[in-house]
Amino acid sequence: MTESTLREANLPPAQPPTLQTLTSPGAAATVSNLPNHPRATGATRQGEAQKPNPDTTSDKATAAFIRRTLCSHNVLLGNGEKGRNTPRPIDEVLPPLTSSNEVDLQLYAIIAVIINLFVQTWYSKITPDHVFVNEVIQIIAHCTRALEQRLRKVDLEALLVDEIPELIEAHVRTYRLAKEQANNRHSLVSDPRVVYHTVHPHPALSPVPTEAVPSSTFDQRENESAWRQLIVQGVLAVLLPTDDLENSCLRALVAEIFAEMILGNGISDKACEPWLLWEGITRIAEVLQEGAKEKDSQPRDAKTDQQLTRLERYGLLPPQLDEPTGPSKPLLPNGRRHKGVAIMGLFWAAVQYAFLACTAMRAVIVAVATSPSLPPRSVTGASGQSPVEANRQLQALQTAHPDPWRPLASKRPIVSMKLWSCASRIVEMDSRMPWLSGLISMLQLGLLAGPGKVGYTDGVLDRWLSNAIQTRILNPAFLPILLRTIRATVFPNNALGPPRIPPSAEET
Protein backbone atom coordinates (compact mmCIF):
# COMPACT_ATOMS: atom_id res chain seq x y z
CA MET A 1 0.00 0.00 0.00
CA THR A 2 1.40 3.37 -1.00
CA GLU A 3 2.04 6.21 1.37
CA SER A 4 -0.73 8.33 -0.16
CA THR A 5 -3.22 5.50 0.41
CA LEU A 6 -2.18 5.29 4.04
CA ARG A 7 -2.69 9.00 4.44
CA GLU A 8 -6.13 8.72 2.90
CA ALA A 9 -7.02 5.83 5.22
CA ASN A 10 -5.95 7.81 8.30
CA LEU A 11 -7.45 11.06 7.09
CA PRO A 12 -9.06 12.79 10.08
CA PRO A 13 -12.65 14.00 9.86
CA ALA A 14 -13.23 17.45 8.46
CA GLN A 15 -13.02 20.12 11.10
CA PRO A 16 -14.45 23.64 11.02
CA PRO A 17 -11.96 26.41 10.26
CA THR A 18 -10.16 27.72 13.30
CA LEU A 19 -9.84 31.33 14.35
CA GLN A 20 -6.32 31.50 12.95
CA THR A 21 -7.38 30.29 9.49
CA LEU A 22 -10.29 32.68 9.39
CA THR A 23 -8.19 35.71 10.34
CA SER A 24 -5.02 34.93 8.38
CA PRO A 25 -4.37 37.29 5.43
CA GLY A 26 -3.59 34.44 3.03
CA ALA A 27 -6.89 32.74 3.60
CA ALA A 28 -8.98 35.87 3.29
CA ALA A 29 -9.68 35.40 -0.40
CA THR A 30 -10.41 31.70 -0.05
CA VAL A 31 -12.72 32.14 2.92
CA SER A 32 -14.61 34.98 1.29
CA ASN A 33 -15.48 32.71 -1.64
CA LEU A 34 -17.36 30.28 0.58
CA PRO A 35 -21.11 30.57 -0.04
CA ASN A 36 -22.08 30.50 3.62
CA HIS A 37 -19.34 32.78 4.95
CA PRO A 38 -20.42 36.12 6.45
CA ARG A 39 -18.15 38.03 4.04
CA ALA A 40 -20.00 36.55 1.09
CA THR A 41 -23.51 36.76 2.50
CA GLY A 42 -23.02 39.67 4.89
CA ALA A 43 -22.43 39.60 8.64
CA THR A 44 -25.27 38.16 10.65
CA ARG A 45 -27.48 40.63 12.44
CA GLN A 46 -28.14 39.76 16.07
CA GLY A 47 -31.85 39.39 15.49
CA GLU A 48 -31.21 37.17 12.44
CA ALA A 49 -28.48 35.06 14.04
CA GLN A 50 -29.00 31.32 13.81
CA LYS A 51 -29.86 30.07 17.24
CA PRO A 52 -28.23 26.86 18.45
CA ASN A 53 -30.12 23.67 17.77
CA PRO A 54 -31.97 22.62 20.94
CA ASP A 55 -30.76 19.04 20.39
CA THR A 56 -27.11 20.09 20.80
CA THR A 57 -27.74 21.43 24.31
CA SER A 58 -29.75 18.49 25.65
CA ASP A 59 -28.05 16.10 28.05
CA LYS A 60 -28.31 13.18 25.62
CA ALA A 61 -26.78 15.11 22.71
CA THR A 62 -24.14 16.61 24.99
CA ALA A 63 -23.10 13.17 26.28
CA ALA A 64 -22.93 11.83 22.71
CA PHE A 65 -20.74 14.76 21.63
CA ILE A 66 -18.38 14.28 24.58
CA ARG A 67 -18.13 10.54 23.92
CA ARG A 68 -17.50 11.14 20.24
CA THR A 69 -14.77 13.72 20.86
CA LEU A 70 -13.02 12.57 24.03
CA CYS A 71 -13.91 8.88 24.37
CA SER A 72 -13.85 7.60 20.80
CA HIS A 73 -10.85 5.36 21.53
CA ASN A 74 -12.53 3.55 24.43
CA VAL A 75 -13.93 0.05 23.88
CA LEU A 76 -17.67 -0.53 24.24
CA LEU A 77 -18.73 -2.76 27.09
CA GLY A 78 -21.75 -5.06 26.97
CA ASN A 79 -24.46 -4.61 29.52
CA GLY A 80 -26.01 -8.04 29.04
CA GLU A 81 -29.38 -6.66 27.90
CA LYS A 82 -30.59 -8.38 24.71
CA GLY A 83 -27.00 -8.98 23.71
CA ARG A 84 -26.41 -5.33 22.72
CA ASN A 85 -23.29 -3.35 23.50
CA THR A 86 -23.65 0.12 25.00
CA PRO A 87 -20.95 2.71 25.63
CA ARG A 88 -19.63 3.10 29.12
CA PRO A 89 -20.96 6.06 31.13
CA ILE A 90 -18.91 9.21 30.88
CA ASP A 91 -18.29 9.34 34.62
CA GLU A 92 -16.62 5.91 34.36
CA VAL A 93 -14.44 6.75 31.36
CA LEU A 94 -13.32 10.30 32.17
CA PRO A 95 -11.92 11.46 35.50
CA PRO A 96 -14.29 13.50 37.69
CA LEU A 97 -13.89 17.25 37.47
CA THR A 98 -16.07 18.21 40.42
CA SER A 99 -18.33 16.53 42.94
CA SER A 100 -21.40 16.97 40.69
CA ASN A 101 -22.07 14.83 37.62
CA GLU A 102 -24.32 17.51 36.09
CA VAL A 103 -21.56 20.12 36.34
CA ASP A 104 -18.99 17.63 34.98
CA LEU A 105 -21.19 17.00 31.93
CA GLN A 106 -21.32 20.69 31.01
CA LEU A 107 -17.63 21.25 31.76
CA TYR A 108 -16.62 18.29 29.61
CA ALA A 109 -18.82 19.63 26.82
CA ILE A 110 -16.91 22.94 26.87
CA ILE A 111 -13.57 21.08 27.00
CA ALA A 112 -14.67 18.87 24.09
CA VAL A 113 -15.56 21.90 21.98
CA ILE A 114 -12.19 23.56 22.67
CA ILE A 115 -10.23 20.38 21.94
CA ASN A 116 -12.26 19.73 18.80
CA LEU A 117 -11.75 23.23 17.43
CA PHE A 118 -8.24 24.14 18.57
CA VAL A 119 -6.37 20.88 19.26
CA GLN A 120 -7.65 18.11 17.01
CA THR A 121 -7.31 20.28 13.91
CA TRP A 122 -3.51 20.03 14.08
CA TYR A 123 -2.83 17.16 16.50
CA SER A 124 -4.77 14.56 14.49
CA LYS A 125 -2.54 15.30 11.50
CA ILE A 126 0.55 14.37 13.51
CA THR A 127 -0.54 11.15 15.20
CA PRO A 128 -3.81 9.21 15.65
CA ASP A 129 -3.24 8.41 19.34
CA HIS A 130 -5.01 10.15 22.22
CA VAL A 131 -2.17 10.30 24.74
CA PHE A 132 -1.84 14.08 24.59
CA VAL A 133 -5.59 14.64 24.92
CA ASN A 134 -5.78 12.22 27.85
CA GLU A 135 -2.92 13.98 29.63
CA VAL A 136 -4.61 17.36 29.11
CA ILE A 137 -7.85 16.01 30.56
CA GLN A 138 -6.01 14.57 33.58
CA ILE A 139 -4.31 17.90 34.30
CA ILE A 140 -7.59 19.82 33.92
CA ALA A 141 -9.35 17.35 36.23
CA HIS A 142 -6.68 17.75 38.89
CA CYS A 143 -6.88 21.54 38.67
CA THR A 144 -10.68 21.66 38.82
CA ARG A 145 -10.82 19.36 41.85
CA ALA A 146 -8.21 21.45 43.64
CA LEU A 147 -10.09 24.61 42.67
CA GLU A 148 -13.34 23.20 44.05
CA GLN A 149 -11.68 22.37 47.36
CA ARG A 150 -10.34 25.91 47.64
CA LEU A 151 -13.71 27.44 46.69
CA ARG A 152 -15.34 25.58 49.55
CA LYS A 153 -13.24 27.70 51.92
CA VAL A 154 -14.13 30.99 50.21
CA ASP A 155 -16.99 33.12 51.44
CA LEU A 156 -18.85 33.35 48.13
CA GLU A 157 -21.57 35.43 49.73
CA ALA A 158 -19.15 38.20 50.72
CA LEU A 159 -17.33 37.88 47.37
CA LEU A 160 -20.53 38.40 45.40
CA VAL A 161 -22.27 40.99 47.58
CA ASP A 162 -19.32 42.92 49.04
CA GLU A 163 -15.97 42.55 47.27
CA ILE A 164 -17.04 42.56 43.60
CA PRO A 165 -19.49 45.50 44.07
CA GLU A 166 -16.70 47.40 45.83
CA LEU A 167 -14.49 47.04 42.74
CA ILE A 168 -17.36 48.06 40.45
CA GLU A 169 -18.13 51.10 42.58
CA ALA A 170 -14.48 52.20 42.56
CA HIS A 171 -14.36 51.78 38.78
CA VAL A 172 -17.57 53.78 38.22
CA ARG A 173 -16.45 56.54 40.59
CA THR A 174 -13.05 56.86 38.91
CA TYR A 175 -14.54 56.72 35.41
CA ARG A 176 -17.01 59.51 36.10
CA LEU A 177 -14.30 61.60 37.70
CA ALA A 178 -12.12 61.12 34.62
CA LYS A 179 -14.95 62.14 32.28
CA GLU A 180 -15.69 65.19 34.41
CA GLN A 181 -12.07 66.31 34.51
CA ALA A 182 -11.61 65.73 30.78
CA ASN A 183 -14.70 67.80 29.93
CA ASN A 184 -13.62 70.62 32.23
CA ARG A 185 -12.35 73.53 30.15
CA HIS A 186 -9.81 74.44 32.82
CA SER A 187 -8.30 70.94 32.85
CA LEU A 188 -4.83 70.47 31.37
CA VAL A 189 -5.57 66.88 30.24
CA SER A 190 -8.28 66.22 27.66
CA ASP A 191 -7.96 62.43 27.43
CA PRO A 192 -10.19 60.70 30.01
CA ARG A 193 -8.06 57.52 29.82
CA VAL A 194 -5.02 59.42 31.02
CA VAL A 195 -6.98 60.87 33.94
CA TYR A 196 -8.44 57.47 34.80
CA HIS A 197 -5.11 55.66 34.87
CA THR A 198 -3.56 58.51 36.82
CA VAL A 199 -6.18 58.19 39.55
CA HIS A 200 -6.55 54.39 39.34
CA PRO A 201 -3.25 53.02 37.93
CA HIS A 202 -2.71 49.38 37.01
CA PRO A 203 0.54 47.82 35.73
CA ALA A 204 -1.26 45.76 33.07
CA LEU A 205 -2.88 48.86 31.54
CA SER A 206 0.13 51.16 31.48
CA PRO A 207 1.33 53.05 29.56
CA VAL A 208 -1.87 54.56 28.22
CA PRO A 209 -1.98 54.02 24.43
CA THR A 210 -1.96 57.35 22.59
CA GLU A 211 -1.72 58.31 18.93
CA ALA A 212 1.14 60.69 19.71
CA VAL A 213 3.33 57.77 20.82
CA PRO A 214 2.68 54.76 18.51
CA SER A 215 4.94 52.49 20.54
CA SER A 216 2.71 52.93 23.62
CA THR A 217 0.15 50.50 22.16
CA PHE A 218 2.76 47.75 21.78
CA ASP A 219 4.17 48.42 25.26
CA GLN A 220 0.71 48.24 26.82
CA ARG A 221 0.01 44.90 25.14
CA GLU A 222 3.32 43.51 26.32
CA ASN A 223 2.64 44.61 29.90
CA GLU A 224 -0.83 43.07 29.75
CA SER A 225 0.59 39.79 28.45
CA ALA A 226 3.22 39.74 31.20
CA TRP A 227 0.52 40.40 33.81
CA ARG A 228 -1.56 37.48 32.50
CA GLN A 229 1.47 35.21 32.63
CA LEU A 230 2.14 36.28 36.23
CA ILE A 231 -1.45 35.51 37.25
CA VAL A 232 -1.48 32.10 35.53
CA GLN A 233 1.90 31.11 36.98
CA GLY A 234 0.64 31.92 40.47
CA VAL A 235 -2.55 29.90 39.93
CA LEU A 236 -0.69 26.91 38.50
CA ALA A 237 1.70 26.90 41.45
CA VAL A 238 -1.32 26.27 43.68
CA LEU A 239 -3.38 23.91 41.50
CA LEU A 240 -0.89 21.79 39.53
CA PRO A 241 0.57 18.59 40.98
CA THR A 242 4.17 18.77 42.17
CA ASP A 243 5.52 16.56 39.40
CA ASP A 244 3.82 18.58 36.66
CA LEU A 245 4.85 21.85 38.27
CA GLU A 246 8.53 20.83 38.15
CA ASN A 247 8.23 20.04 34.44
CA SER A 248 9.19 23.37 32.86
CA CYS A 249 8.03 22.37 29.37
CA LEU A 250 4.57 21.34 30.56
CA ARG A 251 4.26 24.37 32.81
CA ALA A 252 5.18 26.73 29.97
CA LEU A 253 2.71 25.04 27.59
CA VAL A 254 -0.18 25.11 30.06
CA ALA A 255 0.59 28.68 31.08
CA GLU A 256 0.63 29.79 27.44
CA ILE A 257 -2.72 28.11 26.75
CA PHE A 258 -4.41 29.64 29.79
CA ALA A 259 -2.79 33.08 29.53
CA GLU A 260 -3.10 33.73 25.80
CA MET A 261 -5.84 31.45 24.46
CA ILE A 262 -8.29 31.61 27.38
CA LEU A 263 -7.60 34.88 29.21
CA GLY A 264 -6.26 36.87 26.26
CA ASN A 265 -8.22 35.74 23.20
CA GLY A 266 -11.22 34.32 25.02
CA ILE A 267 -12.04 36.70 27.87
CA SER A 268 -10.23 39.95 27.00
CA ASP A 269 -11.21 39.88 23.31
CA LYS A 270 -14.22 37.67 22.59
CA ALA A 271 -16.05 37.89 25.91
CA CYS A 272 -15.90 41.71 25.83
CA GLU A 273 -17.35 42.10 22.35
CA PRO A 274 -20.73 43.89 22.20
CA TRP A 275 -22.52 41.11 20.31
CA LEU A 276 -21.55 38.51 22.91
CA LEU A 277 -22.65 40.68 25.83
CA TRP A 278 -25.90 41.46 24.00
CA GLU A 279 -26.58 37.80 23.26
CA GLY A 280 -25.78 36.80 26.84
CA ILE A 281 -28.28 39.33 28.20
CA THR A 282 -30.83 38.10 25.65
CA ARG A 283 -30.38 34.47 26.68
CA ILE A 284 -30.75 35.33 30.37
CA ALA A 285 -33.92 37.29 29.61
CA GLU A 286 -35.31 34.36 27.62
CA VAL A 287 -34.66 31.95 30.50
CA LEU A 288 -36.32 34.30 32.99
CA GLN A 289 -39.35 34.83 30.75
CA GLU A 290 -40.08 31.20 29.95
CA GLY A 291 -42.79 31.09 32.62
CA ALA A 292 -44.30 34.35 31.37
CA LYS A 293 -44.51 33.01 27.81
CA GLU A 294 -46.39 29.94 28.99
CA LYS A 295 -48.93 32.15 30.74
CA ASP A 296 -49.32 34.35 27.65
CA SER A 297 -50.07 31.29 25.53
CA GLN A 298 -53.43 30.87 27.32
CA PRO A 299 -56.53 32.45 25.69
CA ARG A 300 -56.92 36.09 26.63
CA ASP A 301 -60.65 36.43 26.06
CA ALA A 302 -61.46 35.00 29.49
CA LYS A 303 -59.52 34.63 32.74
CA THR A 304 -58.91 31.35 34.49
CA ASP A 305 -59.41 30.78 38.19
CA GLN A 306 -55.69 31.20 38.84
CA GLN A 307 -55.59 34.58 37.04
CA LEU A 308 -58.58 35.96 38.94
CA THR A 309 -57.89 38.06 41.98
CA ARG A 310 -59.58 37.32 45.29
CA LEU A 311 -62.15 40.05 44.74
CA GLU A 312 -63.05 38.76 41.29
CA ARG A 313 -63.12 35.12 42.42
CA TYR A 314 -65.69 35.72 45.15
CA GLY A 315 -67.84 38.06 43.10
CA LEU A 316 -66.87 41.28 44.84
CA LEU A 317 -65.38 42.76 41.68
CA PRO A 318 -66.40 41.94 38.09
CA PRO A 319 -63.61 40.41 35.95
CA GLN A 320 -61.76 42.97 33.86
CA LEU A 321 -61.43 41.73 30.29
CA ASP A 322 -58.90 43.02 27.82
CA GLU A 323 -61.57 44.53 25.57
CA PRO A 324 -64.85 45.99 26.75
CA THR A 325 -67.90 44.01 25.66
CA GLY A 326 -70.66 46.37 26.75
CA PRO A 327 -71.44 49.98 26.01
CA SER A 328 -69.21 52.67 27.40
CA LYS A 329 -70.00 54.45 30.64
CA PRO A 330 -72.34 57.41 30.36
CA LEU A 331 -70.51 60.70 30.27
CA LEU A 332 -71.56 64.10 31.45
CA PRO A 333 -71.92 66.92 28.92
CA ASN A 334 -68.44 68.20 29.71
CA GLY A 335 -66.93 64.72 28.98
CA ARG A 336 -66.24 63.61 32.57
CA ARG A 337 -67.46 60.37 34.03
CA HIS A 338 -70.09 60.25 36.68
CA LYS A 339 -68.85 60.93 40.20
CA GLY A 340 -70.30 57.67 41.42
CA VAL A 341 -68.16 55.70 38.98
CA ALA A 342 -65.05 57.53 40.15
CA ILE A 343 -65.91 56.90 43.78
CA MET A 344 -66.43 53.19 43.12
CA GLY A 345 -63.09 53.01 41.33
CA LEU A 346 -61.33 54.66 44.26
CA PHE A 347 -63.07 52.32 46.67
CA TRP A 348 -62.01 49.15 44.86
CA ALA A 349 -58.50 50.53 44.40
CA ALA A 350 -58.31 51.12 48.16
CA VAL A 351 -59.52 47.57 48.80
CA GLN A 352 -56.88 46.13 46.45
CA TYR A 353 -54.13 48.19 48.12
CA ALA A 354 -55.35 46.92 51.48
CA PHE A 355 -55.06 43.32 50.27
CA LEU A 356 -51.56 44.11 48.95
CA ALA A 357 -50.55 45.58 52.31
CA CYS A 358 -51.90 42.50 54.11
CA THR A 359 -49.94 40.23 51.79
CA ALA A 360 -46.75 42.21 52.38
CA MET A 361 -47.32 42.17 56.12
CA ARG A 362 -47.88 38.42 56.02
CA ALA A 363 -44.58 37.96 54.14
CA VAL A 364 -42.76 40.06 56.76
CA ILE A 365 -44.31 38.07 59.61
CA VAL A 366 -43.37 34.76 57.97
CA ALA A 367 -39.81 35.98 57.45
CA VAL A 368 -39.52 37.08 61.06
CA ALA A 369 -40.99 33.80 62.31
CA THR A 370 -38.75 31.58 60.18
CA SER A 371 -35.51 33.55 60.60
CA PRO A 372 -34.62 32.05 64.04
CA SER A 373 -34.65 28.57 62.49
CA LEU A 374 -32.18 29.60 59.78
CA PRO A 375 -28.50 28.73 60.33
CA PRO A 376 -26.30 31.51 61.79
CA ARG A 377 -23.72 33.28 59.68
CA SER A 378 -20.93 33.01 62.26
CA VAL A 379 -17.50 32.19 60.87
CA THR A 380 -16.29 30.37 63.96
CA GLY A 381 -15.74 26.72 63.17
CA ALA A 382 -16.72 27.11 59.51
CA SER A 383 -14.77 25.95 56.47
CA GLY A 384 -13.12 23.18 58.46
CA GLN A 385 -11.30 25.61 60.76
CA SER A 386 -11.10 25.38 64.49
CA PRO A 387 -12.49 28.25 66.57
CA VAL A 388 -8.96 29.24 67.61
CA GLU A 389 -7.76 29.51 64.01
CA ALA A 390 -10.89 31.41 62.94
CA ASN A 391 -10.56 33.89 65.82
CA ARG A 392 -6.87 34.40 65.07
CA GLN A 393 -7.58 35.20 61.42
CA LEU A 394 -10.44 37.52 62.29
CA GLN A 395 -8.35 39.38 64.87
CA ALA A 396 -5.61 39.90 62.29
CA LEU A 397 -8.21 41.15 59.80
CA GLN A 398 -9.76 43.47 62.37
CA THR A 399 -6.34 44.90 63.25
CA ALA A 400 -5.36 45.46 59.62
CA HIS A 401 -8.76 46.81 58.48
CA PRO A 402 -10.84 48.10 61.39
CA ASP A 403 -14.54 48.08 60.57
CA PRO A 404 -17.26 49.02 63.10
CA TRP A 405 -19.74 46.75 61.34
CA ARG A 406 -17.49 43.66 61.31
CA PRO A 407 -17.32 42.28 64.86
CA LEU A 408 -14.87 39.60 65.83
CA ALA A 409 -15.79 35.95 65.22
CA SER A 410 -18.63 36.97 62.88
CA LYS A 411 -19.24 38.03 59.32
CA ARG A 412 -20.08 41.46 58.09
CA PRO A 413 -23.80 42.31 58.03
CA ILE A 414 -25.32 42.07 54.56
CA VAL A 415 -27.07 45.42 55.02
CA SER A 416 -23.67 47.15 55.39
CA MET A 417 -22.06 45.45 52.36
CA LYS A 418 -21.05 47.37 49.25
CA LEU A 419 -23.85 46.08 47.03
CA TRP A 420 -26.24 48.80 48.16
CA SER A 421 -23.78 51.68 47.82
CA CYS A 422 -22.70 50.32 44.42
CA ALA A 423 -26.31 50.32 43.18
CA SER A 424 -26.77 53.84 44.52
CA ARG A 425 -23.59 54.96 42.77
CA ILE A 426 -24.62 53.47 39.43
CA VAL A 427 -28.05 55.15 39.38
CA GLU A 428 -26.53 58.40 40.77
CA MET A 429 -29.03 58.53 43.60
CA ASP A 430 -26.99 60.99 45.66
CA SER A 431 -27.17 63.62 42.89
CA ARG A 432 -30.57 62.82 41.36
CA MET A 433 -32.55 62.25 44.58
CA PRO A 434 -30.42 63.25 47.58
CA TRP A 435 -33.44 63.13 49.88
CA LEU A 436 -34.02 59.46 49.05
CA SER A 437 -30.31 58.69 49.48
CA GLY A 438 -30.35 60.28 52.95
CA LEU A 439 -33.54 58.44 53.89
CA ILE A 440 -32.04 55.09 52.89
CA SER A 441 -28.86 55.88 54.85
CA MET A 442 -30.90 56.63 57.96
CA LEU A 443 -32.86 53.40 57.46
CA GLN A 444 -29.62 51.45 57.09
CA LEU A 445 -28.26 52.95 60.30
CA GLY A 446 -31.49 52.11 62.10
CA LEU A 447 -31.33 48.49 60.95
CA LEU A 448 -27.73 48.14 62.14
CA ALA A 449 -27.78 50.11 65.41
CA GLY A 450 -31.47 50.67 66.12
CA PRO A 451 -33.80 48.75 68.43
CA GLY A 452 -33.36 45.02 68.04
CA LYS A 453 -30.50 45.40 65.53
CA VAL A 454 -32.49 43.40 62.98
CA GLY A 455 -29.92 44.09 60.27
CA TYR A 456 -26.84 43.27 62.35
CA THR A 457 -24.92 40.01 61.96
CA ASP A 458 -27.19 37.02 62.72
CA GLY A 459 -30.13 39.38 63.10
CA VAL A 460 -33.59 38.65 61.76
CA LEU A 461 -33.13 40.53 58.50
CA ASP A 462 -29.51 39.43 58.13
CA ARG A 463 -30.38 35.73 58.32
CA TRP A 464 -33.29 36.15 55.92
CA LEU A 465 -31.14 37.97 53.33
CA SER A 466 -28.39 35.39 53.67
CA ASN A 467 -30.85 32.55 53.15
CA ALA A 468 -32.32 34.30 50.09
CA ILE A 469 -28.86 34.74 48.56
CA GLN A 470 -27.89 31.13 49.22
CA THR A 471 -31.10 29.67 47.80
CA ARG A 472 -31.82 32.02 44.90
CA ILE A 473 -28.37 33.12 43.68
CA LEU A 474 -25.69 30.73 44.98
CA ASN A 475 -27.80 27.63 44.43
CA PRO A 476 -25.56 24.87 42.96
CA ALA A 477 -28.46 23.69 40.80
CA PHE A 478 -28.11 26.86 38.70
CA LEU A 479 -24.48 26.15 37.74
CA PRO A 480 -25.17 23.49 35.05
CA ILE A 481 -27.77 25.79 33.46
CA LEU A 482 -25.27 28.66 33.46
CA LEU A 483 -22.54 26.53 31.88
CA ARG A 484 -24.93 25.22 29.22
CA THR A 485 -26.02 28.77 28.38
CA ILE A 486 -22.40 29.93 28.10
CA ARG A 487 -21.54 27.05 25.76
CA ALA A 488 -24.60 27.67 23.59
CA THR A 489 -23.78 31.37 23.38
CA VAL A 490 -20.04 31.20 22.70
CA PHE A 491 -20.11 27.98 20.63
CA PRO A 492 -23.52 27.64 18.94
CA ASN A 493 -24.05 24.09 17.67
CA ASN A 494 -20.66 23.17 19.22
CA ALA A 495 -18.76 25.26 16.66
CA LEU A 496 -17.41 28.77 16.25
CA GLY A 497 -20.25 31.18 15.65
CA PRO A 498 -20.18 33.63 12.73
CA PRO A 499 -19.25 37.25 13.40
CA ARG A 500 -22.28 39.31 14.36
CA ILE A 501 -23.08 42.97 14.03
CA PRO A 502 -23.97 44.75 17.28
CA PRO A 503 -27.67 45.73 17.47
CA SER A 504 -28.65 49.10 16.13
CA ALA A 505 -30.38 51.82 18.13
CA GLU A 506 -33.77 50.86 16.67
CA GLU A 507 -33.30 47.20 17.58
CA THR A 508 -32.18 48.16 21.08
Side-chain angles (χ1 to χ4, degrees):
M1 188 177 294
T2 61
E3 182 179 359
S4 60
T5 307
L6 291 174
R7 285 199 303 269
E8 293 178 356
N10 295 328
L11 187 63
Q15 302 290 342
T18 61
L19 184 62
Q20 289 80 5
T21 58
L22 289 176
T23 56
S24 59
T30 305
V31 172
S32 61
N33 294 329
L34 295 177
N36 296 328
H37 194 265
R39 292 184 183 176
T41 60
T44 305
R45 176 68 65 180
Q46 178 62 32
E48 302 174 357
Q50 182 182 3
K51 293 185 178 181
N53 190 356
D55 295 335
T56 59
T57 58
S58 63
D59 292 345
K60 184 177 180 181
T62 301
F65 174 71
I66 295 172
R67 190 176 290 108
R68 185 172 60 252
T69 305
L70 303 179
C71 311
S72 59
H73 59 285
N74 291 303
V75 182
L76 299 179
L77 297 179
N79 58 357
E81 297 180 1
K82 298 181 181 181
R84 299 172 61 182
N85 292 333
T86 57
R88 297 171 58 186
I90 295 178
D91 54 357
E92 295 182 4
V93 178
L94 299 175
L97 299 177
T98 61
S99 59
S100 174
N101 292 333
E102 292 79 8
V103 176
D104 288 356
L105 182 66
Q106 302 302 327
L107 287 178
Y108 269 122
I110 297 176
I111 294 173
V113 172
I114 295 175
I115 290 179
N116 187 34
L117 295 177
F118 301 105
V119 177
Q120 293 291 356
T121 51
W122 57 269
Y123 184 74
S124 59
K125 299 178 181 179
I126 300 175
T127 176
D129 60 44
H130 294 77
V131 177
F132 177 73
V133 175
N134 294 338
E135 290 296 329
V136 170
I137 294 175
Q138 291 290 341
I139 293 176
I140 293 176
H142 189 281
C143 293
T144 53
R145 289 195 298 267
L147 181 62
E148 183 186 13
Q149 294 297 326
R150 297 182 68 88
L151 285 177
R152 293 180 183 275
K153 301 179 181 180
V154 175
D155 190 359
L156 298 178
E157 186 180 86
L159 177 66
L160 182 65
V161 187
D162 189 27
E163 297 180 11
I164 294 179
E166 184 178 5
L167 296 176
I168 297 176
E169 182 181 3
H171 168 72
V172 173
R173 182 174 59 251
T174 308
Y175 172 78
R176 289 176 179 170
L177 178 61
K179 295 288 290 186
E180 180 181 356
Q181 292 295 327
N183 295 331
N184 189 359
R185 61 180 181 178
H186 300 291
S187 178
L188 300 178
V189 181
S190 60
D191 190 357
R193 299 181 64 181
V194 176
V195 179
Y196 179 89
H197 292 292
T198 302
V199 178
H200 197 75
H202 195 281
L205 302 177
S206 62
V208 179
T210 57
E211 297 180 356
V213 184
S215 61
S216 59
T217 303
F218 177 78
D219 295 338
Q220 190 271 330
R221 291 180 179 177
E222 290 295 324
N223 292 337
E224 185 178 359
S225 178
W227 180 263
R228 289 197 301 265
Q229 290 284 345
L230 182 63
I231 293 177
V232 172
Q233 292 289 347
V235 172
L236 293 180
V238 176
L239 300 180
L240 275 182
T242 306
D243 297 339
D244 296 334
L245 188 62
E246 295 176 354
N247 190 341
S248 59
C249 180
L250 185 144
R251 188 175 66 253
L253 178 62
V254 174
E256 189 70 18
I257 292 175
F258 276 92
E260 300 301 329
M261 182 179 296
I262 297 179
L263 293 181
N265 299 333
I267 297 179
S268 298
D269 293 340
K270 292 298 181 182
C272 297
E273 290 185 359
W275 66 266
L276 183 60
L277 298 176
W278 174 268
E279 188 168 352
I281 296 173
T282 305
R283 294 291 174 82
I284 295 175
E286 290 177 355
V287 172
L288 295 177
Q289 294 178 355
E290 285 181 355
K293 291 181 180 179
E294 294 178 357
K295 294 181 180 179
D296 293 340
S297 62
Q298 299 178 359
R300 303 182 61 183
D301 54 350
K303 292 187 177 181
T304 61
D305 293 338
Q306 296 179 355
Q307 293 175 331
L308 294 175
T309 62
R310 293 184 177 180
L311 297 178
E312 296 172 353
R313 191 177 303 171
Y314 293 102
L316 299 177
L317 185 66
Q320 299 177 359
L321 302 180
D322 294 337
E323 296 181 359
T325 56
S328 59
K329 298 292 183 180
L331 300 178
L332 295 177
N334 56 2
R336 295 181 301 174
R337 294 195 176 193
H338 197 272
K339 293 182 179 180
V341 178
I343 294 175
M344 289 296 295
L346 292 176
F347 172 75
W348 290 117
V351 172
Q352 290 181 351
Y353 280 117
F355 272 104
L356 180 62
C358 293
T359 304
M361 184 64 66
R362 178 179 178 273
V364 172
I365 294 175
V366 170
V368 172
T370 57
S371 60
S373 61
L374 297 176
R377 298 180 60 239
S378 178
V379 177
T380 304
S383 304
Q385 295 178 342
S386 63
V388 178
E389 295 177 354
N391 287 328
R392 186 182 300 111
Q393 294 182 2
L394 287 169
Q395 288 176 1
L397 181 63
Q398 183 77 9
T399 303
H401 304 283
D403 191 345
W405 305 120
R406 189 191 297 271
L408 293 178
S410 62
K411 295 183 179 181
R412 181 173 183 171
I414 296 180
V415 178
S416 66
M417 289 186 177
K418 293 295 183 179
L419 176 64
W420 320 108
S421 61
C422 177
S424 175
R425 177 76 62 178
I426 291 176
V427 300
E428 299 181 350
M429 185 180 297
D430 54 347
S431 59
R432 295 177 182 270
M433 292 180 290
W435 59 271
L436 182 58
S437 178
L439 181 62
I440 294 177
S441 299
M442 292 181 61
L443 179 62
Q444 181 184 22
L445 181 61
L447 292 175
L448 293 173
K453 295 184 178 181
V454 295
Y456 205 65
T457 305
D458 288 339
V460 175
L461 182 61
D462 189 69
R463 289 190 180 187
W464 184 80
L465 290 176
S466 177
N467 180 70
I469 293 173
Q470 295 293 336
T471 55
R472 299 182 180 273
I473 300 178
L474 298 178
N475 191 349
F478 297 156
L479 187 56
I481 302 175
L482 177 62
L483 294 175
R484 183 173 65 246
T485 304
I486 292 175
R487 176 170 62 93
T489 303
V490 180
F491 303 105
N493 299 327
N494 297 327
L496 286 175
R500 272 152 281 192
I501 302 176
S504 61
E506 293 77 8
E507 294 173 343
T508 304

